Amino acid sequence: MQAVHWVGGSGLYAPSRNHGPKWGPTTVLIAQELSALAECRPGINYLARKLKVSERTVQYHLDMLREAGLLVYRTKGTRVTGSIRQASVFERVIPLEFDEALGIRTVGEGVERRPTGIAEKGLKLIGKLAKKAARKVRRRRSRTPVSGRGRCTPMEGGTSASSPTGTSTSPSETKLASGSTSHPTRKKTTRGPQNLNKIGRRHQLGQELVTNVPWLQQASTPRISWIARHCADAGWTWREVQAAAEEHSPIDPAEARRPSGLLAHRIKGVHLLYAHPAGRRSMVTAWEDSRAQEHFRHAGYDQPAQPVAGRTADEAMAEIRAVLQQPAHAAECTEHEAGDLDITTLTRDEVLEHRAYAADPAYVRAMLVSLGDRDTRRLLTNKLVDQALVMSRTTPTLTPAF
């Protein structure tokens, strides 16, 4: 690089062509890129893309470096159609004129030449060239104006006397409220949803598990994301993770004291067991159709508790059927107990026994005659009395004669 700066500053190099670019910062920038390569075999398209110049410009400056004696071919590239193209290999060399101008003493020949000393007159110049070589050259930015028109200033002012805005007149007041505008329509953003990376997919699966699985709602989302990381990397859904965790036995949310540890124990190694999506679908289907899981999910809903009135009616009907099978015993009890009966002195067992006899309509009619309607209904309940009366009207053959 010291030799490159010396050639550019000495003015000794004269290009062989009259057209194309001249020696300048671009030439030094290309030489700087070549000096950074371990093996000097630069690609034309690589240098053009990195320096943001055309490929033809790169070729011009490489030719100038070769003409100046700073770059020589070691192997020339091939451009045979139909075969693999080989890049040219260069050697970075220092011209003899540089050594003679600075009084540098060398040993060896060609690319094997090495400096051994320098004359007193070249010390100052070699120091300046060393500073230039250490300084990185950067490509200058273009300073082309955004618009060729002159800027306008408020209050009908202009940047020059020839500007048409300097002599413009105010618009008519009738045009100020027209509602028209000259502003262009704002562009609509067409940006779609971003694709999640591996970490984002893990956190998404963890959030879905905490939100949708009942026994994981009290767990920490980052911890669940880390536990289910293998499933997230394999493309599992939260439903598949839940099915794998509850495959053998359901989990009651009230019994899941440490949900994260329970999940880690249940899904350990399942990403290897169900590595194929078809296997995961079969596993989810089997989990949803399992009788144990269905019973757990629908416990308390498939068989709702019967109301008290319904249970009383069922029990009364069962007692009626049992009493109707023994009409003689009911008639006998009616004859002995219907005559003198005080309902205030009866025990609970005796009251239940009388209500059991109420399955016989004849017994109920005898109690109505002996006790009256009010006390009979207090003893036997309105339901049993009304039911016996209805049966006595519809099935007269079941009523024994007294």
Side-chain angles (χ1 to χ4, degrees):
M1 288 305 298
Q2 292 177 353
V4 170
H5 285 286
W6 177 80
V7 171
S10 63
L12 299 178
Y13 168 70
S16 60
R17 61 171 60 93
N18 298 325
H19 61 280
K22 305 299 180 182
W23 185 287
T26 304
T27 311
V28 179
L29 189 60
I30 291 178
Q32 180 176 284
E33 292 295 332
L34 296 180
S35 65
L37 298 176
E39 185 177 3
C40 191
R41 46 183 304 176
I44 303 298
N45 55 352
Y46 164 75
L47 293 175
R49 184 174 63 254
K50 187 170 184 180
L51 302 179
K52 295 182 174 56
V53 295
S54 65
E55 295 184 2
R56 188 57 181 165
T57 301
V58 174
Q59 293 175 354
Y60 277 135
H61 289 283
L62 288 178
D63 290 342
M64 286 189 286
L65 290 173
R66 288 195 304 106
E67 291 177 356
L70 298 167
L71 204 64
V72 296
Y73 279 118
R74 181 177 179 182
T75 303
K76 197 166 185 180
T78 59
R79 298 292 184 270
V80 180
T81 305
S83 63
I84 300 177
R85 298 185 176 185
Q86 301 292 335
S88 298
V89 181
F90 295 91
E91 285 290 348
R92 294 152 292 196
V93 297
I94 299 175
L96 294 175
E97 291 80 4
F98 176 78
D99 296 340
E100 296 174 356
L102 276 72
I104 298 177
R105 297 183 296 272
T106 60
V107 294
E109 297 293 336
V111 295
E112 300 296 333
R113 189 171 79 253
R114 296 291 182 268
T116 59
I118 187 173
E120 192 71 25
K121 62 177 182 179
L123 290 176
K124 186 175 181 181
L125 181 56
I126 199 70
K128 293 181 179 180
L129 293 176
K131 291 182 180 179
K132 290 183 178 181
R135 188 184 307 118
K136 296 295 182 182
V137 180
R138 301 184 183 276
R139 182 172 175 80
R140 296 180 180 178
R141 295 182 180 180
S142 60
R143 296 180 178 270
T144 56
V146 177
S147 175
R149 297 175 297 177
R151 295 184 179 179
C152 298
T153 56
M155 302 301 292
E156 301 182 359
T159 55
S160 62
S162 62
S163 175
T165 58
T167 57
S168 61
T169 59
S170 300
S172 174
E173 294 184 0
T174 58
K175 298 181 179 180
L176 294 179
S178 60
S180 62
T181 177
S182 60
H183 296 287
T185 305
R186 187 186 298 269
K187 291 184 178 180
K188 296 182 179 180
T189 57
T190 57
R191 183 178 179 181
Q194 295 182 354
N195 296 328
L196 296 177
N197 56 8
K198 181 185 293 186
I199 303 302
R201 177 70 186 112
R202 291 177 179 179
H203 280 273
Q204 183 185 37
L205 180 60
Q207 181 64 34
E208 292 174 352
L209 286 171
V210 172
T211 304
N212 297 290
V213 181
W215 50 277
L216 289 178
Q217 293 181 356
Q218 302 299 327
S220 172
T221 300
R223 183 179 294 273
I224 298 299
S225 302
W226 183 83
I227 292 173
R229 64 191 185 280
H230 299 301
C231 297
D233 297 342
W236 287 46
T237 62
W238 69 268
R239 193 67 171 173
E240 294 172 348
V241 176
Q242 183 185 10
E246 301 178 5
E247 181 179 8
H248 300 291
S249 61
I251 300 176
D252 190 356
E255 298 179 357
R257 299 181 179 179
R258 190 167 175 263
S260 58
L262 182 59
L263 178 65
H265 173 70
R266 289 292 186 95
I267 68 173
K268 182 179 180 180
V270 295
H271 64 286
L272 302 176
L273 183 61
Y274 300 101
H276 199 273
R280 297 199 295 269
R281 287 193 296 267
S282 301
M283 179 262 296
V284 173
T285 303
W287 169 73
E288 291 177 347
D289 296 340
S290 63
R291 296 180 61 86
Q293 181 64 23
E294 182 180 1
H295 175 73
F296 175 74
R297 292 199 308 266
H298 299 285
Y301 295 96
D302 291 342
Q303 298 179 355
Q306 296 181 350
V308 178
R311 291 199 303 270
T312 304
D314 294 342
E315 294 173 0
M317 290 300 297
E319 294 175 357
I320 288 173
R321 295 189 189 96
V323 174
L324 287 177
Q325 295 176 359
Q326 302 174 357
H329 179 70
E332 182 180 356
C333 292
T334 303
E335 293 178 355
H336 289 84
E337 298 179 2
D340 49 351
L341 182 65
D342 187 5
I343 62 174
T344 60
T345 60
L346 297 177
T347 62
R348 175 179 176 81
D349 294 336
E350 293 175 346
V351 171
L352 294 177
E353 185 178 1
H354 281 286
R355 291 180 181 178
Y357 294 152
D360 186 359
Y363 179 83
V364 175
R365 286 202 306 271
M367 296 296 291
L368 288 172
V369 174
S370 176
L371 300 178
D373 183 75
R374 177 174 174 272
D375 290 341
T376 302
R377 291 183 178 274
R378 288 179 58 192
L379 175 63
L380 304 179
T381 70
N382 293 332
K383 184 177 182 63
L384 296 179
V385 172
D386 294 338
Q387 186 174 1
L389 294 177
V390 172
M391 292 179 61
S392 64
R393 289 195 297 268
T394 57
T395 56
T397 56
L398 297 177
T399 305
F402 292 95

